[in-house]
Amino acid sequence: MRHTLLLLLSISLLACGGGDDTPQGPRDAGTPTGEGIVSGVRGVVKDGGTHAEGQGSLEFEVSHTDRLINQKVKVFVLDAAGAEVAKGEGNQAFPLPAGTYSANMVYTETESAGPYEGSLSGLIVHANGATEYAVDVKAPVGLLRMKFSDGKDNVSDKVNITVYKNSDDPELVLGPIYDGPAGSSVTLPAEVYQVKSVFTPDKGLPITEWYKNIKVDGGMARTEREIVLELDVTGLRVDAFNYGRDVNSRTRVYLYAPGADVDFAVARFQGKAGEAIPADPGEYDVRVVYTPSPAALDFFGDRVVSGIRVHRGLGTRLQVDVEKPLGMVRLSVKEGEEDVSDKVELRVMRAGADVDAASPVVDEIGVSQHPVPVGTYDIYLTAAAGEGEPKQRKFMGVELLNGYVWEQTFDVGTENWDAAEVRKPAGELRPVDWKPPGDDDDSGDDDDSGDDDDSGDDDDSAKGAKGAKGAKPAAPKAP
């Protein structure tokens, strides 16, 4: 009888889960920690499905701010010795032997926004258990949305935007971060940007504008800009560009009578590019003068556009590209860890020119950045290395066309200075497209022909311009 009772007790214990497979203590997910873009992690252990003897599983649910990003995250699981034992994406179950693990994560939101890295440690896998970790990340990416209107209606569907970093020269070397329609949110790395917009109306010519210093914050912060396009101008507005780059802030506009000698005549009207100039209705020759700041790597630009009509009531808006193509020489010279660029002589000669007799295009001591007219050059560098004789290197036949950059970093202590190849734009640089507006909408309006002094018989002299509005200082003489 006693033996029978002991046998029944043993069976009862087994039926209640006793024996070697009974978990010893609570099965928790531990207290994992995160680094990099990981801002928080918490876990839970659930009963696992079918696993091999002594195995469980590990799974991650990855969120950025308020949205899941599992498919944008690559996960690499490491064992206690640091060896990679599994890899995949977020929300993927990794069957693993019971033990403690760590993981590396790589998050790529878009081709330009990422990759961003984070790591997890203290991950626990239980035999016959499924450990699930909810991982919060905060990456340096945000959203930019630009909406455009004409003052009455939303015209975003007629606007294309191109986004560049604020620090980049958008038209010379680097391609855009984004190029596509306006109106929708664009995910971008946290950065300060400049945006080119091109509005294509149902009738008329496209209108290009630039917007600078647009800051996008990280953590999926939303940056929105509402732009009202200035379409109904009075008088004349000229938007000035240099191969597509906005140069309005350094450009003046002068209006002359048709056929006037713009080097000597006094302008009838003048003003800044990018702003409406209250010119009287009539026909003008328009001079656009771009003067770069002393720190700008650019050339003086001067262009005259003839036969521009300003209509009464609804004015005229033009885009004028001064089209000053340039190449660039950039150089940094070191001796070990010391920057010795200020001790280096740079001489840039037209290809084939006598370095001792011909006039150089650039001849300076102290090397940084130098714009040069397009062409092919022989480049000479002379630098002292230690106590020895100065070293001279020459690079012959360097072709610098529009947007090309010869950018080099040398160590004067090395025996050979091998020049890197010339950097070229992603595509051919083109000016902003524009055409003088036609007279189709003028319909012979007498108001546009009523300026008696527009006949040209006074040659727009100072005497004839005396009573004209805005006819103050003359435009600077062309170089």
Side-chain angles (χ1 to χ4, degrees), residues 326-411:
L326 59 89
M328 192 77 66
V329 174
R330 294 176 180 159
L331 197 65
S332 172
V333 180
K334 293 185 176 182
E335 185 174 8
E337 297 299 321
E338 181 184 1
D339 189 331
V340 295
S341 298
D342 60 340
K343 302 176 182 178
V344 176
E345 178 184 353
L346 169 69
R347 180 168 291 189
V348 180
M349 310 289 298
R350 290 286 186 181
D354 188 328
V355 68
D356 296 316
S359 297
V361 177
V362 176
D363 188 8
E364 291 191 14
I365 295 178
V367 178
S368 54
Q369 302 186 78
H370 302 279
V372 294
V374 297
T376 303
Y377 296 94
D378 297 336
I379 300 176
Y380 299 83
L381 301 174
T382 304
E387 301 297 327
E389 289 293 322
K391 291 184 177 181
Q392 186 180 76
R393 295 291 186 272
K394 55 185 178 181
F395 304 90
M396 314 303 285
V398 178
E399 186 179 42
L400 294 176
L401 300 182
N402 191 24
Y404 285 33
V405 179
W406 193 71
E407 186 169 18
Q408 310 297 330
T409 300
F410 293 116
D411 188 324

Side-chain angles (χ1 to χ4, degrees), residues 139-161:
V141 295
L143 298 172
L144 173 64
R145 185 182 185 191
M146 299 188 71
K147 295 186 290 185
F148 293 81
S149 75
D150 60 5
K152 297 179 294 184
D153 301 318
N154 188 329
V155 296
S156 297
D157 59 336
K158 300 176 183 178
V159 177
N160 191 85
I161 62 172

Side-chain angles (χ1 to χ4, degrees), residues 163-188:
V163 182
Y164 302 89
K165 289 184 179 180
N166 215 51
S167 57
D168 289 343
D169 186 335
E171 297 300 327
L172 287 186
V173 177
L174 300 177
I177 303 295
Y178 172 81
D179 187 0
S184 58
S185 295
V186 181
T187 304
L188 300 167

Side-chain angles (χ1 to χ4, degrees), residues 16 110 150 179 202 216 255 298 326 347 375 377 409 432 436 444 465:
C16 293
T110 65
D150 60 5
D179 187 0
D202 295 332
V216 175
L255 281 68
D298 213 341
L326 59 89
R347 180 168 291 189
Y377 296 94
T409 300
V432 169

